[in-house]
Amino acid sequence: MPEQNQRSDFKWLNKLAPCFAVNGNNVKVIETPKEFYSTLLNCIQNVNKRIVLSALYLGTDELDKQLVNCLNERIKEKGTELDVDILLDYTRGSRGEINSRTLLAPILKENPSNSIKISFFHTPSLRGVVKSCLPARWNEVVGVNHIKLFIFDDTLVISGANLSTNYFEQRQDRYMSFTNAKSLADYFQALTKTVSSFSFQLQPNGELKLSEECPHHPVTGNFQEYAAYVRTRMQPYSLPYSYEDNKSQSILQDWNPFRILFNKFFPAVTPQICENMSNDNVSSISPAQFAIKSDCDDCDTFIYPSLQLGCVGITQDENLTKTLLKLLPENTQTYFTSGYFNITNEYSKLILDNKSQFDILVASPDANGFLGSAGVSGKIPSVYVQLTKNFFDQVAEKKRNDIKIWEYMRPKWTYHSKGLWFYDKGSDLPCLTMLGSSNYGSRSVHRDLEAQITLVTTNTGLMKQLHQERVNLFKHARPVTQSTFTKPKYAVTRWVSFATAILRHYF
């Protein structure tokens, strides 16, 4: 039975998320952007029954167009036999005259079928005067669909990467495929269809129309009614939630006057967050107990999906991440990474207070995705330098010599990977990893729609893959020291340093 192969020290995960048991031999770590792209093309060309694509946006360069052409050709070949669901973000997918909508609309024109649905999620936080005043690109800071997953029949590919040429060439992310994983693929397909049910639907003429299933408009309707509807629809995929009107537990609890003003326009539901977690009382986090769904008799790998949409009070991923960071045992090794290192104050505190040794990999200024951006956004790499410096100082203040910070530096490459790898006492191989869309920052927790998985395995081959993945990323790393911040490229102007306290909640 799968339960017999579960690691007892991580069984508490069964209280926080659904569990899917698979054979580790059917799990593959994809190492490079080019391999990621070729995997997508190959899967599309051979798919027979269903395709699910979820990302922030679809790019408009040649590789992106080739992907769309490949998709369109396969849809024409299979006809109504192929169930197609594509989920992107409303604001990012509508940016510019040529965008995700203009690239995908021809598929609907050329293949009139009820089996094709192309949806665009619109955050309910972008409304009123803010929606009217914020221009394209800047309106994306309010919140977006950030889920990155791709399903082809019974194969799932999960990643933090978008469907864009830079993610297919020289933008390093993480990617993992699961074959013969029907139950896991079913879960994520159902999740995508559910999100689509309260999103906007692309029409053949390129216009967007709110799903007829959704009784509450995310922009012009009542925020609380829409939020309650979303929570109800998402209930089967995450835990029950309890709510209380307690300002001290606001999901936007980091105080500053700008956020108080901003939140007048962005109402939020207040979730009750679990505190004082331990192995002894973790069962009290929720009365829910998910059954393990298995696709094999010799399962040795367990997948726990977790979701986050903080603006409406869905905080499953946050609760799971906080619990994991709190319960990591002493004398163990944890590697943690985020291409946009802006972890929340709670996550920072849990890492600083934890007795596991941490090596943290961040993007260097040259590897930051905002490098070279025009206008104010060109200063964002400096914001992340300041955030890294702030955490570096906290580590020094705590005298945690076993917490080390590294930066990813690779000529002509940018860095977008996120997640962690956990090595148990005395082990040279990781038995747990977290992978998905979350950057573990304020916007991942409070604003964006996120999904990631926590994978626990006893499969030695898979553990070796995870270890090699981690090693390959750290090959391009160099340590961050006090002298790092004295170099010219790490200089942060006074106004950027001041603004970081505000900007960190939106990037």
Side-chain angles (χ1 to χ4, degrees):
M1 296 293 293
E3 291 86 344
Q4 295 176 336
N5 294 328
Q6 278 189 292
R7 289 178 56 103
S8 60
D9 43 351
F10 292 115
K11 279 189 176 180
W12 57 264
L13 285 164
N14 293 330
K15 299 283 186 177
L16 297 179
C19 180
F20 297 88
V22 301
N23 187 304
N25 295 331
N26 294 328
V27 183
K28 182 181 187 324
V29 173
I30 299 171
E31 296 184 352
T32 67
K34 289 184 178 180
E35 185 183 356
F36 171 56
Y37 183 67
S38 64
T39 297
L40 294 179
L41 287 181
N42 183 65
C43 286
I44 291 173
Q45 290 165 352
N46 292 282
V47 72
N48 291 307
K49 294 182 179 180
R50 62 176 168 184
I51 293 178
V52 178
L53 306 176
S54 177
L56 175 62
Y57 69 102
L58 173 69
T60 58
D61 294 325
E62 283 307 310
L63 289 181
D64 319 323
K65 292 176 181 178
Q66 289 177 26
L67 185 74
V68 173
N69 290 338
C70 180
L71 175 63
N72 197 12
E73 289 175 6
R74 192 58 178 171
I75 291 173
K76 289 178 178 178
E77 290 174 5
K78 302 301 295 184
T80 56
E81 296 177 19
L82 192 59
D83 188 15
V84 179
D85 286 281
I86 300 174
L87 175 64
L88 304 172
D89 181 69
Y90 184 107
T91 52
R92 183 62 180 89
S94 302
R95 187 202 292 182
E97 293 184 6
I98 301 176
N99 52 43
S100 304
R101 290 161 57 178
T102 59
L103 259 65
L104 291 171
I107 291 180
L108 296 175
K109 287 182 182 179
E110 298 172 22
N111 305 278
S113 169
N114 292 331
S115 65
I116 303 172
K117 182 175 287 188
I118 302 175
S119 308
F120 289 78
F121 172 79
H122 191 297
T123 175
S125 296
L126 183 62
R127 54 178 48 230
V129 65
V130 175
K131 182 174 176 63
S132 300
C133 294
L134 281 181
R137 190 177 190 184
W138 287 104
N139 56 12
E140 296 163 28
V141 305
V142 178
V144 295
N145 169 56
H146 205 239
I147 297 175
K148 287 80 179 281
L149 61 90
F150 317 97
I151 297 169
F152 312 94
D153 292 337
D154 293 338
T155 293
L156 166 71
V157 178
I158 190 164
S159 177
N162 287 303
L163 298 173
S164 178
T165 293
N166 53 342
Y167 290 91
F168 300 150
E169 291 185 333
Q170 292 175 304
R171 186 158 172 73
Q172 183 64 58
D173 213 302
R174 298 181 65 201
Y175 338 81
M176 186 178 292
S177 70
F178 300 82
T179 56
N180 300 319
K182 183 180 184 303
S183 295
L184 187 60
D186 288 347
Y187 167 89
F188 278 114
Q189 181 189 32
L191 169 65
T192 304
K193 286 182 178 292
T194 297
V195 175
S196 297
S197 74
F198 48 79
S199 298
F200 287 83
Q201 309 301 319
L202 183 65
Q203 306 301 306
N205 63 0
E207 297 298 316
L208 293 176
K209 180 182 178 182
L210 183 63
S211 170
E212 294 180 356
E213 298 180 57
C214 187
H216 307 288
H217 199 284
V219 179
T220 60
N222 180 278
F223 179 94
Q224 297 294 343
E225 290 179 351
Y226 178 82
Y229 177 77
V230 170
R231 288 195 304 273
T232 300
R233 296 286 289 140
M234 297 284 276
Q235 185 75 24
Y237 311 100
S238 53
L239 293 180
Y241 307 100
S242 58
Y243 299 86
E244 63 180 13
D245 186 16
N246 184 344
K247 292 181 181 180
S248 67
Q249 291 191 355
S250 169
I251 59 174
L252 299 176
Q253 58 189 323
D254 295 330
W255 183 90
N256 71 53
F258 294 92
R259 296 191 70 192
I260 291 176
L261 178 63
F262 213 67
N263 292 337
K264 288 183 181 293
F265 303 107
F266 299 153
V269 178
T270 306
Q272 181 176 353
I273 304 299
C274 304
E275 303 293 349
N276 302 318
M277 296 165 288
S278 69
N279 268 317
D280 295 330
N281 67 10
V282 72
S283 60
S284 67
I285 290 177
S286 168
Q289 175 69 61
F290 290 101
I292 298 175
K293 296 183 179 179
S294 174
D295 283 323
C296 56
D297 295 326
D298 52 349
C299 299
D300 51 24
T301 301
F302 300 86
I303 316 300
Y304 300 88
S306 52
L307 309 175
Q308 188 80 10
L309 185 56
C311 66
V312 301
I314 297 175
T315 59
Q316 180 190 30
D317 185 65
E318 178 189 7
N319 290 339
L320 189 152
T321 302
K322 291 198 307 183
T323 307
L324 179 63
L325 291 175
K326 186 177 181 66
L327 299 184
L328 293 175
E330 190 175 359
N331 299 321
T332 59
Q333 173 69 55
T334 302
Y335 293 88
F336 180 93
T337 187
S338 176
Y340 297 123
F341 185 70
N342 178 23
I343 57 176
T344 66
N345 292 335
E346 287 185 286
Y347 291 167
S348 294
K349 186 177 187 302
L350 288 169
I351 290 174
L352 291 168
D353 292 343
N354 195 278
K355 294 185 178 180
S356 180
Q357 177 177 322
F358 272 83
D359 284 78
I360 298 172
L361 181 59
V362 305
S364 71
D366 290 337
N368 188 285
F370 287 94
L371 182 69
S373 295
V376 176
S377 59
K379 296 295 183 182
I380 292 177
S382 291
V383 172
Y384 287 106
V385 169
Q386 183 64 55
L387 291 167
T388 303
K389 177 67 163 56
N390 293 346
F391 185 77
F392 181 89
D393 291 341
Q394 290 178 324
V395 172
E397 184 179 345
K398 276 276 192 176
K399 298 181 180 180
R400 286 292 305 270
N401 296 325
D402 58 344
I403 298 179
K404 297 180 175 60
I405 304 175
W406 306 77
E407 59 178 357
Y408 185 93
M409 296 194 69
R410 190 175 181 183
K412 298 182 180 180
W413 282 64
T414 54
Y415 188 69
H416 198 247
S417 299
K418 47 266 193 181
L420 64 77
W421 302 258
F422 170 75
Y423 293 66
D424 211 347
K425 298 177 184 178
S427 177
D428 295 327
L429 298 174
C431 61
L432 178 149
T433 191
M434 296 184 83
L435 166 68
S437 64
S438 176
N439 286 297
Y440 308 99
S442 292
R443 69 170 300 154
S444 290
V445 170
H446 303 310
R447 303 188 179 282
D448 294 344
L449 175 57
E450 307 276 12
Q452 70 170 339
I453 62 169
T454 301
L455 179 152
V456 181
T457 186
T458 57
N459 184 291
T460 302
L462 178 54
M463 293 164 73
K464 288 180 178 179
Q465 283 192 71
L466 294 172
H467 174 74
Q468 192 59 50
E469 175 193 38
R470 198 273 307 165
V471 168
N472 289 343
L473 294 179
F474 275 79
K475 281 180 181 178
H476 303 284
R478 70 178 185 184
V480 174
T481 65
Q482 188 66 54
S483 63
T484 299
F485 301 102
T486 65
K487 298 174 183 178
K489 73 171 63 176
Y490 296 86
V492 179
T493 60
R494 184 170 298 179
W495 78 266
V496 170
S497 179
F498 170 77
T500 294
I502 302 168
L503 294 177
R504 65 169 299 186
H505 301 290
Y506 305 101
F507 296 97

